[in-house]
């Protein structure tokens, strides 16, 4: 079973002015589509071909760069589209809100730490919020298309929020102003989805 590029859960222009339509369209139809096609090519005819993407990444041989880069790229963007929404933003309530307060003290402190992880990732990569066994939350970042599900990335737990800080995610609108893009992301952050993932994966 080949992996398929998922549709976005909203229109390309739905996240404007925070993320522009052209960036969203290129990101989805070129970048995410490319990772999907190359992942399928890399696993075709191998023992990985019938596994779920989670199982492929969990047990990944990190020297398999084709699956590492494209499997990570496939998975990471599937999550990224879901954790944004035109109705997003604000501060989370419910159990995810309580877990953030418990793990980071305040929402402001969480926001500062997450933004810092995203801003200080050198070159291309991702910032993550991960749930650990027992429910504690941790922030980390990875290079390139690595993610916390993969072995030995320095990030552990299950990712419930991911922010793409590759230049292709923001350069058309923000050029080198990555911190402005990170700040805008909080206006479209889909806390409902992050909260659902938190409840489902502790
Ligand atoms: Mn990307």
């Amino acid at each position: 079973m080949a992996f398929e590029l998922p549709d976005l859960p909203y229109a390309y222009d739905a996240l404007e002015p925070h993320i522009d339509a052209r960036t969203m369209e290129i990101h989805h139809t070129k970048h995410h589509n490319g990772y999907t096609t190359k992942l399928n090519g890399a696993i075709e005819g191998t023992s990985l071909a019938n596994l779920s993407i989670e199982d492929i990444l969990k047990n990944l041989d990190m020297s398999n760069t084709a699956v590492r880069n494209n499997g990570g790229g496939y998975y990471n963007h599937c999550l990224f589209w879901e954790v944004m929404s035109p109705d997003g933003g604000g501060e989370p309530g419910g159990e995810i809100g309580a877990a953030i307060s418990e793990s980071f003290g305040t929402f402001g402190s969480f926001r500062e730490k997450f933004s810092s992880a995203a801003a200080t990732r050198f070159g291309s990569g991702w910032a993550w919020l991960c749930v650990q066994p027992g429910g504690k939350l941790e922030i980390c970042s990875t290079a390139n298309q690595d993610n916390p599900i993969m072995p030995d990335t320095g990030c552990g737990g299950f990712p419930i929020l991911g922010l793409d800080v590759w230049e292709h995610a923001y350069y058309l609108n923000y050029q080198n102003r990555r911190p402005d893009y990170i700040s805008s992301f909080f206006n479209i952050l889909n806390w409902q989805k992050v909260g659902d993932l938190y409840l489902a994966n502790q």
Side-chain angles (χ1 to χ4, degrees), residues 28-64:
H28 181 244
T29 64
K30 306 295 183 195
H31 294 279
H32 197 189
N33 192 46
Y35 297 126
T36 307
T37 304
K38 288 177 191 162
L39 169 63
N40 287 330
I43 63 173
E44 191 180 358
T46 76
S47 60
L48 302 176
N50 292 309
L51 299 179
S52 70
I53 188 64
E54 288 85 357
D55 282 341
I56 289 174
L57 299 181
K58 205 168 14 176
N59 302 304
L60 185 64
D61 169 1
M62 295 294 268
S63 69
N64 185 343

Side-chain angles (χ1 to χ4, degrees), residues 9-126:
Y10 36 74
Y12 288 127
D13 64 0
L15 303 181
E16 290 196 349
H18 310 293
I19 303 182
D20 64 282
R22 185 78 178 126
T23 294
M24 289 299 294
E25 183 173 6
I26 295 170
H27 204 171
H28 181 244
T29 64
K30 306 295 183 195
H31 294 279
H32 197 189
N33 192 46
Y35 297 126
T36 307
T37 304
K38 288 177 191 162
L39 169 63
N40 287 330
I43 63 173
E44 191 180 358
T46 76
S47 60
L48 302 176
N50 292 309
L51 299 179
S52 70
I53 188 64
E54 288 85 357
D55 282 341
I56 289 174
L57 299 181
K58 205 168 14 176
N59 302 304
L60 185 64
D61 169 1
M62 295 294 268
S63 69
N64 185 343
T65 50
V67 175
R68 180 179 179 175
N69 292 336
N70 296 296
Y74 173 76
Y75 182 92
N76 297 348
H77 291 83
C78 288
L79 175 64
F80 185 50
W81 311 135
E82 295 286 335
V83 298
M84 297 187 289
S85 164
D87 304 317
E91 296 190 17
E95 297 196 42
I96 182 65
I100 282 177
S101 297
E102 199 165 305
S103 297
F104 304 106
T106 62
F107 178 76
S109 168
F110 156 76
R111 178 172 170 148
E112 196 174 307
K113 284 192 174 112
F114 186 85
S115 298
S116 173
T120 59
R121 163 52 52 192
F122 183 75
S124 298
W126 291 75

